[in-house]
Amino acid sequence: MLLTIARRIGVFAATLVAASIITFLMLSILPGNAARVALGIDATEAQVIAQEKLMGLDRPLYAQFFDWFGNLAIGDFGTSTVSGQEIGPQIGDALAITGVLVISSVILALLFAIPMGILSAVRQNKADGVIISGISQIGISIPGFLFGILLVALFAVKLKWLPAGGWDSPGEDFVGFLEHLILPAIALGSVQGAVLSRYVRSSVLEVMREDFLRTARAKGLTPNRALMRHGLRNAAIPVMTVLGLQIASLLIGAVVIERVFAIPGLGSLLLDKVALRDLPSIQGIVMVLVALVLLLNLLIDIAYTIVDPRLRSAS
């Protein structure tokens, strides 16, 4: 198993390097000049050339990449070409907010998906099972940003129970922090919960048809007890893979939800930097998002290896 985990980590590192090369090249070939952006539109050609030399943009592309990647490896994201401020602290502050939002959304999604998915599978031919399945279908069909707007219209504008947007630090105002977190977390987690519940349902249904569960029932266990004792662990294996992909999509979905609720997270920071054509900041934010998605996939692969004995024996 350790060899399998080491191999997964090696693939993660190689993929991260490949992704960094692609990210650097794609953003480097975009139209525009970072030196001119830094100096403004009134800069003369001589000033732009001098700024390019100062920023190292006159060197070969591979040399620029090695410098950029080497600095990233030690946590140095460089400075913004627009504001001149350090990029790392900005990304760190925004990432902390996005992390809280994504983790809260995952918890909400799991709290909905696991019991609802199991219940809709166990009671697939009953009225409540069909209703739960229908609710999941409706949840999948509504985009997260649209659901967020509906939540704002109902709970912020009409009922005035919760704020429509913004963000409070939990250290300064914990109640305000929770009030600002509830609606965006529901908007972001609802669609993922609905999707995940469908996978939980199909996985549980598949396990319920397995021979080992029939054997457990033949030994005297009730269907529910047999499922709880022997079925859910097997049903969780494919769901874990989907959960990893769901969390990755949550990171991307947070870009839109943060904009809807005016949350100063990583997504909002990325959109602001794109509007300002702040290339070093964009490269840093994109690489953080890529690294997080790859890291999540690595963790899911390792958990999958630990839980599934077939993978351990295969390795």
Side-chain angles (χ1 to χ4, degrees):
M1 185 174 67
L2 290 177
L3 183 61
T4 303
I5 293 175
R7 191 179 298 133
R8 296 276 194 275
I9 294 175
V11 172
F12 161 77
T15 309
L16 186 61
V17 172
S20 68
I21 295 173
I22 294 171
T23 301
F24 182 82
L25 290 178
M26 289 184 68
L27 293 175
S28 296
I29 61 175
L30 289 178
N33 188 313
R36 185 170 290 281
V37 171
L39 293 174
I41 58 175
D42 296 329
T44 64
E45 196 61 32
Q47 290 174 318
V48 172
I49 292 173
Q51 185 67 21
E52 285 180 344
K53 190 172 183 179
L54 183 65
M55 297 170 67
L57 299 178
D58 59 333
R59 293 179 303 151
L61 203 56
Y62 69 87
Q64 295 180 42
F65 169 77
F66 283 123
D67 276 355
W68 173 72
F69 189 76
N71 290 331
L72 278 185
I74 59 174
D76 182 5
F77 288 83
T79 57
S80 165
T81 54
V82 177
S83 64
Q85 297 177 334
E86 291 286 332
I87 298 171
Q90 295 180 48
I91 293 179
D93 293 342
L95 181 60
I97 294 174
T98 300
V100 170
L101 178 60
V102 170
I103 291 172
S104 303
S105 304
V106 171
I107 293 173
L108 288 176
L110 289 174
L111 288 176
F112 173 82
I114 294 177
M116 293 300 105
I118 295 174
L119 193 60
S120 62
V122 173
R123 300 183 66 81
Q124 58 175 322
N125 297 320
K126 307 292 184 183
D128 49 355
V130 174
I131 291 172
I132 293 170
S133 183
I135 292 173
S136 299
Q137 291 284 11
I138 294 172
I140 294 172
S141 63
I142 301 177
F145 75 91
L146 179 59
F147 191 50
I149 294 172
L150 295 175
L151 289 174
V152 169
L154 177 61
F155 292 102
V157 177
K158 186 171 181 60
L159 299 176
K160 301 186 185 306
W161 289 354
L162 293 167
W167 190 260
D168 275 340
S169 168
E172 297 175 357
D173 182 3
F174 190 71
V175 175
F177 161 73
L178 291 178
E179 289 177 346
H180 284 94
L181 177 63
I182 290 173
L183 292 184
I186 293 175
L188 191 58
S190 58
V191 176
Q192 309 304 327
V195 173
L196 198 58
S197 72
R198 300 296 301 174
Y199 281 100
V200 172
R201 179 180 185 273
S202 62
S203 185
V204 171
L205 283 175
E206 188 174 340
V207 165
M208 288 169 65
R209 301 187 191 103
E210 294 289 340
D211 291 338
F212 69 87
L213 215 60
R214 294 195 191 96
T215 303
R217 290 200 296 268
K219 289 181 178 178
L221 293 178
T222 64
N224 289 341
R225 186 175 290 275
L227 179 64
M228 295 292 291
R229 182 174 295 181
H230 302 289
L232 290 185
R233 177 171 176 170
N234 291 279
I237 294 172
V239 174
M240 286 173 58
T241 304
V242 177
L243 178 61
L245 299 174
Q246 292 280 300
I247 296 175
S249 67
L250 278 173
L251 282 169
I252 307 303
V255 173
V256 179
I257 293 298
E258 286 175 6
R259 213 57 170 176
V260 170
F261 288 93
I263 296 173
L266 204 58
S268 293
L269 183 64
L270 175 61
L271 295 178
D272 290 341
K273 297 302 182 184
V274 169
L276 295 171
R277 303 178 67 83
D278 189 350
L279 190 59
S281 297
I282 297 170
Q283 287 174 327
I285 297 169
V286 171
M287 274 311 300
V288 167
L289 288 171
V290 169
L292 285 174
V293 171
L294 292 176
L295 182 61
L296 284 170
N297 287 330
L298 171 66
L299 294 177
I300 291 296
D301 279 347
I302 292 175
Y304 201 89
T305 304
I306 294 172
V307 171
D308 192 345
R310 293 170 297 181
L311 289 180
R312 292 201 299 270
S313 59
S315 65

